[in-house]
Amino acid sequence: MSDMITIAVSKGRIYDEAIPLLAKLDIIPKDDPKKSRKLILETNQTNIQILVIRATDVPTYVERGAAELGIAGKDVLLEYQGNGFYEPFDLGIAKCQMMLAGLKKANKTYTRPCIATKYANITQNYFADLGQQVEIIKLYGSMELAPILGLADQIVDLVDTGETLKANGLVPLELIANISSRLIVNKAAMKMKNSIIKSFMQRLSKVIEN
Ligand code: ATP
Ligand code: PRP
């Protein structure tokens, strides 16, 4: 069996915040994904490589064992319907909030609100827990547009500074979940490559504590 450890990392802001964490473990990619078209990044550690992939693909790679480890947002993990990985760590990076939001001027209650979101499962579960029926419209970005144009009554999306909501005349209504990035580990790899993964996790937990 190969000793190679593959870490699947969400591209974009999670990658930008995860790389300094990995550097503290002396894991440094040889290429910069902003400059290179390589999809597999070798690192200074001969047995560790990094995949830079779309956020929503990270759980799939890890669940199916294409990567032993992954770094993904809790939003993506809550939305993903699978259980083929462990989630041992909150890395405390890419923090934001999953919010229900609506037009500032709307100020009304809905019997069956229409919600635009990229997070259909999270939204469905949230309203099911409240015993409220909803219609969900799946979008893939710029959710803030939907209430403005009458496509939906409200949205469920991530909020950090609140600038995007404010700039589009929306206000946060309810906090659904606090979000940050997590380490995930393939279940079979945890057994088969236990010593190397355990050592990685021990070193990572020390870095997070400090
Ligand atoms: P995709 O490639 O699937 O379109 P994306 O454009 O949503 O993904 P990013 O915006 O980089 O990719 O978001 C990746 C992750 O970063 C999210 O899953 C979430 O955990 C976190 N995130 C998203 N928006 C924010 C934000 N405004 N502040 C902090 N973290 C965020
Ligand atoms: C995310 C999210 C919001 C915005 C919130 O979008 O979907 O639109 O950040 O951040 P703020 O509260 O600091 O304004 P992102 O920038 O990732 O764009 P995208 O959804 O189009 O990928």
Side-chain angles (χ1 to χ4, degrees), residues 122-169:
I122 293 173
T123 303
Q124 193 67 61
N125 293 340
Y126 173 74
F127 282 101
D129 284 351
L130 295 177
Q132 161 106 60
Q133 286 203 336
V134 282
E135 183 187 346
I136 293 174
I137 297 185
K138 173 95 180 175
L139 293 178
Y140 294 86
S142 305
M143 269 72 75
E144 294 84 359
L145 279 173
I148 299 172
L149 298 175
L151 180 62
D153 300 312
Q154 296 170 332
I155 63 169
V156 167
D157 194 14
L158 298 175
V159 176
D160 178 19
T161 62
E163 281 304 314
T164 312
L165 288 184
K166 199 172 160 201
N168 293 289

mmCIF file of all heavy atoms in Angstrom, residues 122-169:
data_model
loop_
_atom_site.group_PDB
_atom_site.id
_atom_site.type_symbol
_atom_site.label_atom_id
_atom_site.label_comp_id
_atom_site.label_asym_id
_atom_site.label_seq_id
_atom_site.Cartn_x
_atom_site.Cartn_y
_atom_site.Cartn_z
ATOM 1 N N ILE A 122 -29.978 21.889 3.877
ATOM 2 C CA ILE A 122 -29.918 22.636 5.146
ATOM 3 C C ILE A 122 -31.217 23.423 5.334
ATOM 4 O O ILE A 122 -31.804 23.447 6.423
ATOM 5 C CB ILE A 122 -28.697 23.597 5.147
ATOM 6 C CG1 ILE A 122 -27.392 22.793 5.146
ATOM 7 C CG2 ILE A 122 -28.757 24.556 6.331
ATOM 8 C CD1 ILE A 122 -26.133 23.627 4.971
ATOM 9 N N THR A 123 -31.678 24.045 4.267
ATOM 10 C CA THR A 123 -32.897 24.862 4.328
ATOM 11 C C THR A 123 -34.111 23.986 4.635
ATOM 12 O O THR A 123 -34.922 24.306 5.516
ATOM 13 C CB THR A 123 -33.087 25.609 2.986
ATOM 14 O OG1 THR A 123 -31.923 26.393 2.751
ATOM 15 C CG2 THR A 123 -34.315 26.495 3.002
ATOM 16 N N GLN A 124 -34.203 22.865 3.935
ATOM 17 C CA GLN A 124 -35.314 21.937 4.157
ATOM 18 C C GLN A 124 -35.339 21.480 5.617
ATOM 19 O O GLN A 124 -36.383 21.495 6.269
ATOM 20 C CB GLN A 124 -35.143 20.723 3.229
ATOM 21 C CG GLN A 124 -36.351 19.821 3.110
ATOM 22 C CD GLN A 124 -37.528 20.514 2.418
ATOM 23 O OE1 GLN A 124 -37.422 20.910 1.270
ATOM 24 N NE2 GLN A 124 -38.630 20.691 3.129
ATOM 25 N N ASN A 125 -34.160 21.095 6.142
ATOM 26 C CA ASN A 125 -34.090 20.610 7.530
ATOM 27 C C ASN A 125 -34.435 21.705 8.537
ATOM 28 O O ASN A 125 -35.113 21.457 9.535
ATOM 29 C CB ASN A 125 -32.683 20.059 7.844
ATOM 30 C CG ASN A 125 -32.401 18.796 7.051
ATOM 31 O OD1 ASN A 125 -33.325 18.139 6.579
ATOM 32 N ND2 ASN A 125 -31.130 18.460 6.867
ATOM 33 N N TYR A 126 -33.944 22.915 8.260
ATOM 34 C CA TYR A 126 -34.190 24.039 9.170
ATOM 35 C C TYR A 126 -35.697 24.297 9.300
ATOM 36 O O TYR A 126 -36.229 24.397 10.402
ATOM 37 C CB TYR A 126 -33.462 25.291 8.658
ATOM 38 C CG TYR A 126 -33.792 26.536 9.432
ATOM 39 C CD1 TYR A 126 -33.275 26.750 10.707
ATOM 40 C CD2 TYR A 126 -34.640 27.507 8.897
ATOM 41 C CE1 TYR A 126 -33.594 27.897 11.427
ATOM 42 C CE2 TYR A 126 -34.962 28.653 9.609
ATOM 43 C CZ TYR A 126 -34.432 28.838 10.863
ATOM 44 O OH TYR A 126 -34.761 29.963 11.570
ATOM 45 N N PHE A 127 -36.380 24.367 8.172
ATOM 46 C CA PHE A 127 -37.820 24.662 8.215
ATOM 47 C C PHE A 127 -38.626 23.458 8.705
ATOM 48 O O PHE A 127 -39.655 23.631 9.363
ATOM 49 C CB PHE A 127 -38.311 25.176 6.856
ATOM 50 C CG PHE A 127 -37.953 26.624 6.624
ATOM 51 C CD1 PHE A 127 -36.877 26.970 5.829
ATOM 52 C CD2 PHE A 127 -38.679 27.639 7.235
ATOM 53 C CE1 PHE A 127 -36.528 28.306 5.640
ATOM 54 C CE2 PHE A 127 -38.341 28.974 7.050
ATOM 55 C CZ PHE A 127 -37.265 29.315 6.250
ATOM 56 N N ALA A 128 -38.158 22.251 8.408
ATOM 57 C CA ALA A 128 -38.846 21.051 8.909
ATOM 58 C C ALA A 128 -38.818 21.044 10.437
ATOM 59 O O ALA A 128 -39.822 20.726 11.089
ATOM 60 C CB ALA A 128 -38.192 19.790 8.350
ATOM 61 N N ASP A 129 -37.667 21.428 11.022
ATOM 62 C CA ASP A 129 -37.569 21.487 12.486
ATOM 63 C C ASP A 129 -38.541 22.508 13.074
ATOM 64 O O ASP A 129 -38.990 22.369 14.216
ATOM 65 C CB ASP A 129 -36.139 21.847 12.912
ATOM 66 C CG ASP A 129 -35.193 20.656 12.760
ATOM 67 O OD1 ASP A 129 -35.700 19.539 12.500
ATOM 68 O OD2 ASP A 129 -33.962 20.836 12.881
ATOM 69 N N LEU A 130 -38.829 23.556 12.300
ATOM 70 C CA LEU A 130 -39.772 24.581 12.776
ATOM 71 C C LEU A 130 -41.220 24.185 12.487
ATOM 72 O O LEU A 130 -42.151 24.906 12.852
ATOM 73 C CB LEU A 130 -39.493 25.921 12.066
ATOM 74 C CG LEU A 130 -38.145 26.600 12.350
ATOM 75 C CD1 LEU A 130 -38.014 27.861 11.511
ATOM 76 C CD2 LEU A 130 -38.013 26.946 13.832
ATOM 77 N N GLY A 131 -41.383 23.082 11.740
ATOM 78 C CA GLY A 131 -42.729 22.644 11.355
ATOM 79 C C GLY A 131 -43.345 23.550 10.304
ATOM 80 O O GLY A 131 -44.566 23.666 10.198
ATOM 81 N N GLN A 132 -42.508 24.213 9.536
ATOM 82 C CA GLN A 132 -42.985 25.186 8.547
ATOM 83 C C GLN A 132 -42.789 24.645 7.127
ATOM 84 O O GLN A 132 -41.691 24.166 6.791
ATOM 85 C CB GLN A 132 -42.168 26.475 8.729
ATOM 86 C CG GLN A 132 -42.176 27.417 7.560
ATOM 87 C CD GLN A 132 -43.031 28.655 7.784
ATOM 88 O OE1 GLN A 132 -42.781 29.411 8.707
ATOM 89 N NE2 GLN A 132 -44.021 28.834 6.947
ATOM 90 N N GLN A 133 -43.795 24.720 6.311
ATOM 91 C CA GLN A 133 -43.657 24.307 4.901
ATOM 92 C C GLN A 133 -42.987 25.409 4.100
ATOM 93 O O GLN A 133 -43.247 26.597 4.335
ATOM 94 C CB GLN A 133 -45.034 24.058 4.314
ATOM 95 C CG GLN A 133 -45.649 22.777 4.817
ATOM 96 C CD GLN A 133 -46.697 22.246 3.857
ATOM 97 O OE1 GLN A 133 -47.256 22.998 3.084
ATOM 98 N NE2 GLN A 133 -46.945 20.967 3.913
ATOM 99 N N VAL A 134 -42.110 25.022 3.178
ATOM 100 C CA VAL A 134 -41.438 26.006 2.319
ATOM 101 C C VAL A 134 -41.342 25.472 0.896
ATOM 102 O O VAL A 134 -41.371 24.266 0.668
ATOM 103 C CB VAL A 134 -39.984 26.315 2.773
ATOM 104 C CG1 VAL A 134 -39.946 27.235 3.943
ATOM 105 C CG2 VAL A 134 -39.184 25.058 3.008
ATOM 106 N N GLU A 135 -41.160 26.419 -0.020
ATOM 107 C CA GLU A 135 -40.793 26.043 -1.386
ATOM 108 C C GLU A 135 -39.339 26.466 -1.557
ATOM 109 O O GLU A 135 -38.977 27.580 -1.159
ATOM 110 C CB GLU A 135 -41.680 26.789 -2.383
ATOM 111 C CG GLU A 135 -41.412 26.409 -3.820
ATOM 112 C CD GLU A 135 -42.183 27.267 -4.819
ATOM 113 O OE1 GLU A 135 -43.121 27.973 -4.395
ATOM 114 O OE2 GLU A 135 -41.821 27.241 -5.993
ATOM 115 N N ILE A 136 -38.522 25.571 -2.097
ATOM 116 C CA ILE A 136 -37.096 25.901 -2.230
ATOM 117 C C ILE A 136 -36.731 26.048 -3.708
ATOM 118 O O ILE A 136 -37.069 25.187 -4.527
ATOM 119 C CB ILE A 136 -36.234 24.813 -1.552
ATOM 120 C CG1 ILE A 136 -36.488 24.860 -0.037
ATOM 121 C CG2 ILE A 136 -34.743 25.027 -1.853
ATOM 122 C CD1 ILE A 136 -35.830 23.775 0.753
ATOM 123 N N ILE A 137 -36.054 27.148 -4.012
ATOM 124 C CA ILE A 137 -35.540 27.344 -5.369
ATOM 125 C C ILE A 137 -34.031 27.218 -5.302
ATOM 126 O O ILE A 137 -33.361 27.996 -4.605
ATOM 127 C CB ILE A 137 -35.906 28.732 -5.927
ATOM 128 C CG1 ILE A 137 -37.425 28.859 -6.032
ATOM 129 C CG2 ILE A 137 -35.256 28.964 -7.293
ATOM 130 C CD1 ILE A 137 -37.901 30.145 -6.670
ATOM 131 N N LYS A 138 -33.478 26.227 -5.999
ATOM 132 C CA LYS A 138 -32.030 25.985 -5.955
ATOM 133 C C LYS A 138 -31.317 26.955 -6.906
ATOM 134 O O LYS A 138 -31.612 27.000 -8.095
ATOM 135 C CB LYS A 138 -31.774 24.531 -6.374
ATOM 136 C CG LYS A 138 -30.330 24.171 -6.547
ATOM 137 C CD LYS A 138 -29.742 23.552 -5.318
ATOM 138 C CE LYS A 138 -28.277 23.215 -5.556
ATOM 139 N NZ LYS A 138 -27.595 22.726 -4.413
ATOM 140 N N LEU A 139 -30.394 27.717 -6.330
ATOM 141 C CA LEU A 139 -29.537 28.589 -7.148
ATOM 142 C C LEU A 139 -28.082 28.225 -6.860
ATOM 143 O O LEU A 139 -27.789 27.536 -5.874
ATOM 144 C CB LEU A 139 -29.779 30.066 -6.808
ATOM 145 C CG LEU A 139 -31.158 30.655 -7.162
ATOM 146 C CD1 LEU A 139 -31.237 32.115 -6.721
ATOM 147 C CD2 LEU A 139 -31.440 30.554 -8.664
ATOM 148 N N TYR A 140 -27.175 28.709 -7.685
ATOM 149 C CA TYR A 140 -25.764 28.340 -7.524
ATOM 150 C C TYR A 140 -24.868 29.530 -7.163
ATOM 151 O O TYR A 140 -23.666 29.381 -7.038
ATOM 152 C CB TYR A 140 -25.269 27.635 -8.798
ATOM 153 C CG TYR A 140 -25.966 26.306 -8.983
ATOM 154 C CD1 TYR A 140 -27.195 26.227 -9.628
ATOM 155 C CD2 TYR A 140 -25.451 25.139 -8.415
ATOM 156 C CE1 TYR A 140 -27.867 25.023 -9.755
ATOM 157 C CE2 TYR A 140 -26.114 23.936 -8.530
ATOM 158 C CZ TYR A 140 -27.325 23.881 -9.201
ATOM 159 O OH TYR A 140 -27.995 22.694 -9.299
ATOM 160 N N GLY A 141 -25.450 30.708 -6.967
ATOM 161 C CA GLY A 141 -24.673 31.869 -6.561
ATOM 162 C C GLY A 141 -25.546 33.113 -6.619
ATOM 163 O O GLY A 141 -26.690 33.067 -7.098
ATOM 164 N N SER A 142 -25.018 34.211 -6.099
ATOM 165 C CA SER A 142 -25.717 35.514 -6.101
ATOM 166 C C SER A 142 -27.169 35.388 -5.656
ATOM 167 O O SER A 142 -28.083 35.962 -6.268
ATOM 168 C CB SER A 142 -25.649 36.150 -7.504
ATOM 169 O OG SER A 142 -24.315 36.239 -7.916
ATOM 170 N N MET A 143 -27.372 34.639 -4.576
ATOM 171 C CA MET A 143 -28.728 34.411 -4.051
ATOM 172 C C MET A 143 -29.440 35.731 -3.717
ATOM 173 O O MET A 143 -30.668 35.817 -3.774
ATOM 174 C CB MET A 143 -28.666 33.562 -2.763
ATOM 175 C CG MET A 143 -28.771 32.085 -2.982
ATOM 176 S SD MET A 143 -27.305 31.368 -3.709
ATOM 177 C CE MET A 143 -26.178 31.346 -2.335
ATOM 178 N N GLU A 144 -28.627 36.744 -3.346
ATOM 179 C CA GLU A 144 -29.207 38.028 -2.907
ATOM 180 C C GLU A 144 -30.130 38.641 -3.952
ATOM 181 O O GLU A 144 -31.013 39.435 -3.630
ATOM 182 C CB GLU A 144 -28.073 39.018 -2.568
ATOM 183 C CG GLU A 144 -27.222 38.633 -1.366
ATOM 184 C CD GLU A 144 -26.090 37.649 -1.701
ATOM 185 O OE1 GLU A 144 -25.964 37.238 -2.878
ATOM 186 O OE2 GLU A 144 -25.347 37.286 -0.774
ATOM 187 N N LEU A 145 -29.913 38.276 -5.224
ATOM 188 C CA LEU A 145 -30.747 38.833 -6.297
ATOM 189 C C LEU A 145 -32.197 38.353 -6.223
ATOM 190 O O LEU A 145 -33.110 39.074 -6.655
ATOM 191 C CB LEU A 145 -30.193 38.374 -7.665
ATOM 192 C CG LEU A 145 -29.007 39.124 -8.240
ATOM 193 C CD1 LEU A 145 -28.527 38.410 -9.491
ATOM 194 C CD2 LEU A 145 -29.422 40.558 -8.560
ATOM 195 N N ALA A 146 -32.403 37.143 -5.715
ATOM 196 C CA ALA A 146 -33.715 36.486 -5.837
ATOM 197 C C ALA A 146 -34.865 37.284 -5.203
ATOM 198 O O ALA A 146 -35.896 37.492 -5.867
ATOM 199 C CB ALA A 146 -33.647 35.062 -5.288
ATOM 200 N N PRO A 147 -34.730 37.777 -3.946
ATOM 201 C CA PRO A 147 -35.852 38.553 -3.394
ATOM 202 C C PRO A 147 -36.033 39.894 -4.104
ATOM 203 O O PRO A 147 -37.159 40.369 -4.248
ATOM 204 C CB PRO A 147 -35.456 38.775 -1.924
ATOM 205 C CG PRO A 147 -34.361 37.811 -1.652
ATOM 206 C CD PRO A 147 -33.668 37.549 -2.952
ATOM 207 N N ILE A 148 -34.943 40.471 -4.563
ATOM 208 C CA ILE A 148 -35.030 41.782 -5.237
ATOM 209 C C ILE A 148 -35.884 41.661 -6.498
ATOM 210 O O ILE A 148 -36.712 42.523 -6.798
ATOM 211 C CB ILE A 148 -33.621 42.299 -5.626
ATOM 212 C CG1 ILE A 148 -32.752 42.473 -4.375
ATOM 213 C CG2 ILE A 148 -33.716 43.602 -6.411
ATOM 214 C CD1 ILE A 148 -31.299 42.801 -4.688
ATOM 215 N N LEU A 149 -35.711 40.571 -7.216
ATOM 216 C CA LEU A 149 -36.412 40.416 -8.494
ATOM 217 C C LEU A 149 -37.708 39.612 -8.371
ATOM 218 O O LEU A 149 -38.334 39.270 -9.382
ATOM 219 C CB LEU A 149 -35.475 39.753 -9.510
ATOM 220 C CG LEU A 149 -34.224 40.597 -9.813
ATOM 221 C CD1 LEU A 149 -33.277 39.868 -10.718
ATOM 222 C CD2 LEU A 149 -34.623 41.933 -10.428
ATOM 223 N N GLY A 150 -38.091 39.281 -7.137
ATOM 224 C CA GLY A 150 -39.359 38.566 -6.938
ATOM 225 C C GLY A 150 -39.288 37.083 -7.259
ATOM 226 O O GLY A 150 -40.305 36.413 -7.376
ATOM 227 N N LEU A 151 -38.063 36.573 -7.407
ATOM 228 C CA LEU A 151 -37.902 35.138 -7.684
ATOM 229 C C LEU A 151 -38.192 34.321 -6.417
ATOM 230 O O LEU A 151 -38.641 33.184 -6.487
ATOM 231 C CB LEU A 151 -36.466 34.894 -8.167
ATOM 232 C CG LEU A 151 -36.033 33.489 -8.518
ATOM 233 C CD1 LEU A 151 -36.865 32.952 -9.684
ATOM 234 C CD2 LEU A 151 -34.550 33.462 -8.888
ATOM 235 N N ALA A 152 -37.895 34.914 -5.256
ATOM 236 C CA ALA A 152 -38.124 34.221 -3.976
ATOM 237 C C ALA A 152 -38.467 35.260 -2.915
ATOM 238 O O ALA A 152 -38.220 36.455 -3.106
ATOM 239 C CB ALA A 152 -36.868 33.454 -3.573
ATOM 240 N N ASP A 153 -39.035 34.790 -1.783
ATOM 241 C CA ASP A 153 -39.353 35.709 -0.683
ATOM 242 C C ASP A 153 -38.116 35.988 0.163
ATOM 243 O O ASP A 153 -37.893 37.106 0.624
ATOM 244 C CB ASP A 153 -40.434 35.087 0.220
ATOM 245 C CG ASP A 153 -41.711 34.807 -0.539
ATOM 246 O OD1 ASP A 153 -42.166 35.714 -1.265
ATOM 247 O OD2 ASP A 153 -42.230 33.672 -0.436
ATOM 248 N N GLN A 154 -37.340 34.931 0.400
ATOM 249 C CA GLN A 154 -36.183 35.038 1.291
ATOM 250 C C GLN A 154 -35.044 34.188 0.737
ATOM 251 O O GLN A 154 -35.239 33.432 -0.229
ATOM 252 C CB GLN A 154 -36.571 34.548 2.702
ATOM 253 C CG GLN A 154 -37.648 35.443 3.336
ATOM 254 C CD GLN A 154 -38.234 34.864 4.606
ATOM 255 O OE1 GLN A 154 -38.275 33.644 4.792
ATOM 256 N NE2 GLN A 154 -38.713 35.736 5.473
ATOM 257 N N ILE A 155 -33.868 34.306 1.366
ATOM 258 C CA ILE A 155 -32.726 33.467 0.944
ATOM 259 C C ILE A 155 -32.103 32.801 2.163
ATOM 260 O O ILE A 155 -32.250 33.278 3.287
ATOM 261 C CB ILE A 155 -31.624 34.268 0.202
ATOM 262 C CG1 ILE A 155 -31.000 35.347 1.121
ATOM 263 C CG2 ILE A 155 -32.189 34.908 -1.061
ATOM 264 C CD1 ILE A 155 -29.739 35.991 0.543
ATOM 265 N N VAL A 156 -31.417 31.700 1.912
ATOM 266 C CA VAL A 156 -30.519 31.119 2.921
ATOM 267 C C VAL A 156 -29.133 31.136 2.293
ATOM 268 O O VAL A 156 -28.921 30.564 1.231
ATOM 269 C CB VAL A 156 -30.943 29.694 3.326
ATOM 270 C CG1 VAL A 156 -29.837 29.001 4.119
ATOM 271 C CG2 VAL A 156 -32.226 29.741 4.150
ATOM 272 N N ASP A 157 -28.203 31.849 2.959
ATOM 273 C CA ASP A 157 -26.850 31.989 2.398
ATOM 274 C C ASP A 157 -25.868 32.286 3.526
ATOM 275 O O ASP A 157 -26.259 32.522 4.667
ATOM 276 C CB ASP A 157 -26.827 33.118 1.355
ATOM 277 C CG ASP A 157 -25.564 33.092 0.493
ATOM 278 O OD1 ASP A 157 -24.840 32.071 0.514
ATOM 279 O OD2 ASP A 157 -25.288 34.089 -0.192
ATOM 280 N N LEU A 158 -24.583 32.293 3.147
ATOM 281 C CA LEU A 158 -23.532 32.618 4.105
ATOM 282 C C LEU A 158 -23.396 34.125 4.234
ATOM 283 O O LEU A 158 -23.521 34.855 3.248
ATOM 284 C CB LEU A 158 -22.198 32.025 3.644
ATOM 285 C CG LEU A 158 -22.188 30.506 3.542
ATOM 286 C CD1 LEU A 158 -20.871 30.020 2.966
ATOM 287 C CD2 LEU A 158 -22.451 29.868 4.902
ATOM 288 N N VAL A 159 -23.143 34.562 5.471
ATOM 289 C CA VAL A 159 -22.929 35.977 5.751
ATOM 290 C C VAL A 159 -21.667 36.086 6.593
ATOM 291 O O VAL A 159 -21.485 35.334 7.550
ATOM 292 C CB VAL A 159 -24.131 36.574 6.526
ATOM 293 C CG1 VAL A 159 -23.864 38.023 6.896
ATOM 294 C CG2 VAL A 159 -25.418 36.461 5.715
ATOM 295 N N ASP A 160 -20.800 37.022 6.201
ATOM 296 C CA ASP A 160 -19.597 37.269 7.007
ATOM 297 C C ASP A 160 -19.665 38.700 7.524
ATOM 298 O O ASP A 160 -20.136 38.956 8.631
ATOM 299 C CB ASP A 160 -18.349 37.009 6.159
ATOM 300 C CG ASP A 160 -17.076 37.289 6.933
ATOM 301 O OD1 ASP A 160 -17.125 37.322 8.180
ATOM 302 O OD2 ASP A 160 -16.026 37.504 6.302
ATOM 303 N N THR A 161 -19.242 39.657 6.711
ATOM 304 C CA THR A 161 -19.281 41.061 7.148
ATOM 305 C C THR A 161 -20.690 41.630 7.092
ATOM 306 O O THR A 161 -20.975 42.651 7.714
ATOM 307 C CB THR A 161 -18.384 41.911 6.235
ATOM 308 O OG1 THR A 161 -18.912 41.832 4.898
ATOM 309 C CG2 THR A 161 -16.955 41.433 6.248
ATOM 310 N N GLY A 162 -21.568 41.016 6.312
ATOM 311 C CA GLY A 162 -22.922 41.545 6.110
ATOM 312 C C GLY A 162 -22.984 42.553 4.970
ATOM 313 O O GLY A 162 -24.060 43.068 4.638
ATOM 314 N N GLU A 163 -21.837 42.840 4.364
ATOM 315 C CA GLU A 163 -21.775 43.853 3.299
ATOM 316 C C GLU A 163 -22.641 43.491 2.099
ATOM 317 O O GLU A 163 -23.299 44.352 1.518
ATOM 318 C CB GLU A 163 -20.319 44.036 2.830
ATOM 319 C CG GLU A 163 -19.476 44.906 3.741
ATOM 320 C CD GLU A 163 -20.070 46.287 3.959
ATOM 321 O OE1 GLU A 163 -20.488 46.930 2.977
ATOM 322 O OE2 GLU A 163 -20.148 46.706 5.134
ATOM 323 N N THR A 164 -22.619 42.210 1.699
ATOM 324 C CA THR A 164 -23.378 41.809 0.498
ATOM 325 C C THR A 164 -24.874 41.973 0.738
ATOM 326 O O THR A 164 -25.595 42.471 -0.134
ATOM 327 C CB THR A 164 -23.041 40.351 0.100
ATOM 328 O OG1 THR A 164 -21.625 40.200 0.102
ATOM 329 C CG2 THR A 164 -23.580 40.010 -1.273
ATOM 330 N N LEU A 165 -25.347 41.570 1.925
ATOM 331 C CA LEU A 165 -26.771 41.750 2.241
ATOM 332 C C LEU A 165 -27.109 43.242 2.186
ATOM 333 O O LEU A 165 -28.057 43.654 1.511
ATOM 334 C CB LEU A 165 -27.090 41.212 3.638
ATOM 335 C CG LEU A 165 -27.089 39.691 3.851
ATOM 336 C CD1 LEU A 165 -27.521 39.369 5.274
ATOM 337 C CD2 LEU A 165 -27.997 38.988 2.845
ATOM 338 N N LYS A 166 -26.307 44.034 2.898
ATOM 339 C CA LYS A 166 -26.586 45.470 3.027
ATOM 340 C C LYS A 166 -26.607 46.157 1.657
ATOM 341 O O LYS A 166 -27.523 46.940 1.358
ATOM 342 C CB LYS A 166 -25.496 46.088 3.915
ATOM 343 C CG LYS A 166 -25.861 47.409 4.507
ATOM 344 C CD LYS A 166 -24.809 47.838 5.518
ATOM 345 C CE LYS A 166 -24.925 49.338 5.732
ATOM 346 N NZ LYS A 166 -23.698 49.902 6.283
ATOM 347 N N ALA A 167 -25.626 45.819 0.837
ATOM 348 C CA ALA A 167 -25.511 46.460 -0.481
ATOM 349 C C ALA A 167 -26.701 46.134 -1.378
ATOM 350 O O ALA A 167 -26.934 46.822 -2.371
ATOM 351 C CB ALA A 167 -24.216 46.016 -1.152
ATOM 352 N N ASN A 168 -27.454 45.090 -1.017
ATOM 353 C CA ASN A 168 -28.586 44.691 -1.852
ATOM 354 C C ASN A 168 -29.935 44.849 -1.144
ATOM 355 O O ASN A 168 -30.936 44.258 -1.548
ATOM 356 C CB ASN A 168 -28.386 43.242 -2.326
ATOM 357 C CG ASN A 168 -27.202 43.159 -3.285
ATOM 358 O OD1 ASN A 168 -27.288 43.639 -4.414
ATOM 359 N ND2 ASN A 168 -26.085 42.601 -2.832
ATOM 360 N N GLY A 169 -29.921 45.640 -0.072
ATOM 361 C CA GLY A 169 -31.175 45.969 0.614
ATOM 362 C C GLY A 169 -31.789 44.823 1.390
ATOM 363 O O GLY A 169 -32.998 44.792 1.632
#
